[in-house]
Amino acid sequence: MTMTRSVVLGCGSYLPEKVLTNAELAAKVDTSDEWIVQRTGIRERHIAAEGEFTSHLAIKAAQAALADAGVDAQSIDLIVLATSTPDNTFPASAVAVQNGLGINHGAAFDLQAVCSGFVFALATADSLLRSGNFRRALVIGAETFSRILDWSDRGTCVLFGDGAGAIVLDAQQQPGAPSDRGVLTTHLRSDGRHKAKLFVDGGPSSTQTVGHLRMEGREVFKHAVGMITDVIVDAFNATGTSAEDVDWFIPHQANKRIIDASAHKLHIAPQKVVLTVDRHGNTSAASIPLALCTAVADGRVKRGDLLLLEAMGGGFTWGSALVRW
Ligand code: UT7
């Protein structure tokens, strides 16, 4: 029996021009290129220019995704923007993106699940498309974490970067088979008991300030691999697939050691892992679509490939998705 699937028509990304290297950071705080590369795999990250907001990055990524998909912006009736660094407390940065793209029909909203934001946004858009209420969606992850970093805290300021990535999802009838194109399954989880391990120490209701990112890195690290692998096993069980069926593992890019350990635990071959953390740092909700677009642009990801996406971050939140390209 046929069923509605959210099929990916195209993807696009945008990185701010300015590149900040580990050597430049070592001139500001007590760190070294060697420590950062060894502990995280990060070599450089991009930083948004003054006056360049999250919505500006998101619009550029969305325009690139629309061009890659070969569809007109007017065909989009849903925009879900995953971000924890919106332009303003409100309105949602998604409406700035909608306006910037010249769209004034349909719905646009932000979704906040920190580093898991893109997987949460993908699952949300997929549900809304499959419900029949929307036809074509832009799912975007865009962040300017450089704006919420404490640049004197070496434990966090070396880890994050700015950027945006987007995909176009189209509601299409598919045969209802494992070989279907599109989003095959999504799995989302949260556990607020861990909310103080990775948080921003400000906000409109608590301090009336924006605040800075605070993290107990070792604590986050301790939980990451277990949470990531649990939710990926859920995705395998829901679809009757296994690590061998995965063509490309496109994880949230926080730390190469977490990615390597997760792939190892799941028996995913290292050559199937898409890694961009070395050049982008941790771009939170933008990291998965940025990595995805990199692997699409360089020809690794091909039509029919099975992609495994996963993320884990503040909350804690974590999630997985299996998508056939
Ligand atoms: O995307 C959302 C999810 N976030 C994550 O997944 C991040 C998870 N955590 C991590 O990636 C790692 O825990 C970090 C990269 C943040 C830290 O690596 P670690 O191996 O867990 O190091 P640590 O926190 O245990 O710190 C080891 C040492 C400490 O010194 P002492 O106490 O051993 O003397 C730190 O003070 O490294 C020190 N340190 C640094 N040294 C040089 C911490 N940051 C730096 C730094 N440069 N930038």
Side-chain angles (χ1 to χ4, degrees), residues 46-241:
H46 291 250
I47 303 292
E50 207 183 315
E52 195 173 34
F53 301 164
T54 292
S55 67
H56 301 148
L57 311 188
I59 289 169
K60 287 190 169 136
Q63 285 167 334
L66 290 166
D68 184 53
V71 301
D72 192 88
Q74 295 310 321
S75 68
I76 299 293
D77 58 3
L78 175 67
I79 299 173
V80 186
L81 171 59
T83 189
S84 301
T85 45
D87 298 2
N88 298 90
T89 303
F90 77 78
S93 298
V95 299
V97 174
Q98 186 194 33
N99 189 47
L101 295 173
I103 304 170
N104 48 31
H105 61 266
F109 60 90
D110 286 2
L111 187 152
Q112 205 269 73
V114 205
C115 295
S116 310
F118 187 77
V119 176
F120 276 59
L122 179 66
T124 303
D126 175 47
S127 297
L128 290 170
L129 290 179
R130 284 189 294 105
S131 75
N133 289 323
F134 296 91
R135 297 293 313 158
R136 193 172 277 172
L138 265 170
V139 182
I140 310 169
E143 303 278 17
T144 47
F145 260 51
S146 62
R147 305 274 155 72
I148 55 165
L149 294 177
D150 173 351
W151 287 98
S152 66
D153 174 15
R154 69 175 183 173
T156 54
C157 77
V158 304
L159 303 175
F160 295 90
D162 301 337
I167 60 172
V168 178
L169 282 183
D170 193 43
Q172 291 186 6
Q173 289 304 306
Q174 290 283 305
S179 57
D180 281 0
R181 286 191 68 205
V183 179
L184 303 181
T185 193
T186 59
H187 298 267
L188 307 180
R189 299 284 306 278
S190 316
D191 185 345
R193 283 176 299 179
H194 303 288
K195 66 186 169 63
K197 291 179 179 129
L198 174 48
F199 70 108
V200 169
D201 62 3
S205 185
S206 55
T207 60
Q208 299 82 58
T209 62
V210 172
H212 292 108
L213 184 149
R214 306 291 174 205
M215 177 167 73
E216 292 175 40
R218 212 176 301 184
E219 277 295 307
V220 181
F221 198 107
K222 213 171 73 186
H223 288 87
V225 177
M227 288 177 165
I228 289 164
T229 50
D230 276 358
V231 82
I232 289 174
V233 169
D234 287 348
F236 287 153
N237 290 341
T239 51
T241 55

Side-chain angles (χ1 to χ4, degrees), residues 30-31 35 39-40 115 154-155 158-159 198 215 217-218 220-221 252 254-255 257-258 282 312-313:
D30 182 15
T31 188
W35 189 96
R39 301 291 180 122
T40 72
C115 295
R154 69 175 183 173
V158 304
L159 303 175
L198 174 48
M215 177 167 73
R218 212 176 301 184
V220 181
F221 198 107
H252 168 51
N255 185 322
R257 286 155 61 212
I258 295 174
N282 181 349
M312 181 269 182

Side-chain angles (χ1 to χ4, degrees), residues 8-13 61-71 166-168 292-293 296-297 325:
V8 185
L9 297 183
C11 72
S13 62
Q63 285 167 334
L66 290 166
D68 184 53
V71 301
I167 60 172
V168 178
L292 170 65
C293 290
V296 170
W325 198 248

